[in-house]
DNA sequence: ACGGTAACTGACCGATCGGTCAGAGGCTGT
DNA sequence: ACAGCCTCTGACCGATCGGTCAGTTACCGT
């Protein structure tokens, strides 16, 4: 992999764990084995590094949302979208974790505005106008919860590299189950026993 | 409220939205209408401010966990605990959001170590030794998702102050429903239709 | 062999960081 | 009136921040 891409990956990992403000160019340079000047040779600024780190993820989510027509009332369409959504989360867990948790507070950064707009757009697919409070909460928990648990499992995942592939499939399957359960609208939900 | 408490509340709000590293003492001082020196008069250091901000929440969660015996196999015990858990989240959403998302990356800070230890302790109550991957994910999503959605709804909550009390009850009820659904162990779950 | 370019570096800049310190102002009990 | 304490402040400190710039390598096609 090129130095350029290395820096982007390192920056993304550090931004996700230590925060954008909490990550210095010096630290990124040290991890990459370069000087701070070299980092600024490959990217014009720290903000450009942020854009390179999370931009592709936003592009992909935008593409997924654009490929969809209106709202997801059909059950099969919904399931297909949830699969796409989970795969997106698995592929871009660090990016999602980043702009979910640091989106507010990083205003005036163009790429962050795009990310926030994308989240809003995403939310409308699930809880369009008629959404109840509970439906709003369900969507938020699915999004924020999945982003959290996938970035928190990062350490475990690296440690359990030997199980890599099998474990990844298991996580994916479980995630689809849980997210489907969470996002299933009340109208499609079977009657529950009162507690 | 005293200046001392004001500073703690301001710091907590800023830490939660901008991150610990991203919040300067200067900014806290400006919001409080004081000088930076005054902030350091009330608290010995920035770290002391962090401890004052999230310490009480950790104490409360520790107390809740200590009041429980072993694992939560009984259904009623489980429900009672979930209610306590949700009320804890509602009362301390900013603190939880903080050490959920900034816990890693803020190592070597004593109060953060306590917070991380508490989260681990909390996790054992739900997915003790035999926990499947899906159960681990369910717990993580419930915790991280609830923390996210409650801190994200902060703006809305302030804007909808007129509905304050009624909306709060609705959120609490919905949260209990969702968290219960998420944390219900497989053994107690009714059969699901295969998708 | 030589010119150009991509990759990289150390020195340096102003700004801001967390933190120290001596002291000013006000309020209290004696 | 005085002493003591609580609150607060500006000046200052070394360190680090993001970023600029001139210059050094190494490799390339000609």
């Amino acid at each position: 992999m090129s130095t350029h891409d290395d820096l982007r990956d390192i920056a993304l990992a550090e931004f996700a764990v230590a925060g954008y403000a909490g990550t210095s160019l010096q630290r990124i340079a040290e991890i990459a084995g370069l000087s701070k000047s070299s980092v600024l040779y490959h990217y014009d600024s720290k903000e450009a590094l942020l854009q390179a780190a999370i931009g592709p993820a936003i592009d992909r989510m935008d593409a997924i949302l654009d490929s969809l027509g209106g709202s997801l009332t059909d059950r099969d369409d919904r399931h297909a979208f949830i699969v796409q959504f989970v795969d997106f989360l698995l592929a871009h867990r660090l990016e999602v974790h980043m702009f979910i948790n640091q989106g507010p507070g990083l205003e005036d950064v163009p790429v962050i505005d795009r990310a926030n707009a994308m989240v809003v757009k995403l939310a409308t697919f699930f809880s369009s106008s008629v959404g109840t409070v509970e439906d709003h909460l369900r969507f938020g928990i699915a999004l924020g919860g999945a982003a959290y648990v996938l970035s928190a499992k990062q350490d475990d995942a690296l440690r359990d590299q030997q199980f890599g592939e099998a474990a990844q499939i298991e996580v994916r399957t479980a995630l689809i189950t849980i997210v489907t359960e969470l996002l299933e609208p009340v109208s499609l939900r079977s009657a529950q026993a009162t507690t």
Side-chain angles (χ1 to χ4, degrees), chain A residues 27-46:
Chain A
R27 173 158 177 78
I28 295 172
E30 281 170 5
I31 295 175
L34 295 174
S35 70
K36 190 180 65 172
S37 297
S38 292
V39 176
L40 285 164
Y41 164 75
H42 287 282
Y43 294 90
D44 287 344
S45 64
K46 190 184 180 183

Side-chain angles (χ1 to χ4, degrees), chain A residues 168-189:
Chain A
Q168 207 160 337
I169 293 175
E170 193 177 356
V171 167
R172 179 177 182 270
T173 304
L175 257 188
I176 292 174
T177 299
I178 299 170
V179 172
T180 300
E181 184 181 313
L182 269 175
L183 297 183
E184 192 169 63
V186 178
S187 58
L188 297 179
R189 213 169 294 153

Side-chain angles (χ1 to χ4, degrees), chain A residues 2-192:
Chain A
S2 69
T3 301
H4 198 81
D5 293 344
D6 279 343
L7 287 172
R8 170 176 43 75
D9 294 346
I10 292 171
L12 173 59
E14 289 300 303
F15 288 162
V17 63
Y20 178 70
T23 303
S24 66
L25 294 177
Q26 178 65 39
R27 173 158 177 78
I28 295 172
E30 281 170 5
I31 295 175
L34 295 174
S35 70
K36 190 180 65 172
S37 297
S38 292
V39 176
L40 285 164
Y41 164 75
H42 287 282
Y43 294 90
D44 287 344
S45 64
K46 190 184 180 183
E47 191 177 313
L49 207 38
L50 172 65
Q51 167 139 11
I54 69 175
I58 301 176
D59 291 340
R60 174 164 166 188
M61 194 65 227
D62 272 338
I64 292 176
L65 291 178
D66 284 343
S67 74
L68 268 50
S71 58
L72 293 173
T73 51
D74 182 73
R75 196 184 187 109
D76 288 340
D77 286 352
R78 239 182 137 75
H79 178 75
F81 174 72
I82 286 177
V83 171
Q84 275 188 294
F85 180 59
V86 167
D87 283 337
F88 167 78
L89 287 174
L90 286 169
H92 299 283
R93 56 201 171 88
L94 291 182
E95 295 93 321
V96 175
H97 182 251
M98 251 216 82
F99 59 69
I100 281 295
N101 293 303
Q102 304 180 44
L106 255 58
E107 298 175 8
D108 306 328
V109 182
V111 72
I112 291 290
D113 289 341
R114 278 190 62 208
N116 288 335
M118 187 263 285
V119 172
V120 171
K121 195 174 169 186
L122 183 60
T124 63
F125 275 95
F126 291 103
S127 54
S128 54
S129 63
V130 294
T132 63
V133 168
E134 182 175 324
D135 285 335
H136 278 278
L137 288 176
R138 285 179 173 275
F139 168 74
I141 289 175
L143 176 61
Y148 163 69
V149 82
L150 288 179
S151 69
K153 286 286 177 198
Q154 172 182 354
D155 302 333
D156 298 348
L158 291 177
R159 182 157 43 85
D160 298 344
Q161 255 176 341
Q162 64 270 25
F163 302 118
E165 196 171 349
Q168 207 160 337
I169 293 175
E170 193 177 356
V171 167
R172 179 177 182 270
T173 304
L175 257 188
I176 292 174
T177 299
I178 299 170
V179 172
T180 300
E181 184 181 313
L182 269 175
L183 297 183
E184 192 169 63
V186 178
S187 58
L188 297 179
R189 213 169 294 153
S190 59
Q192 295 180 222

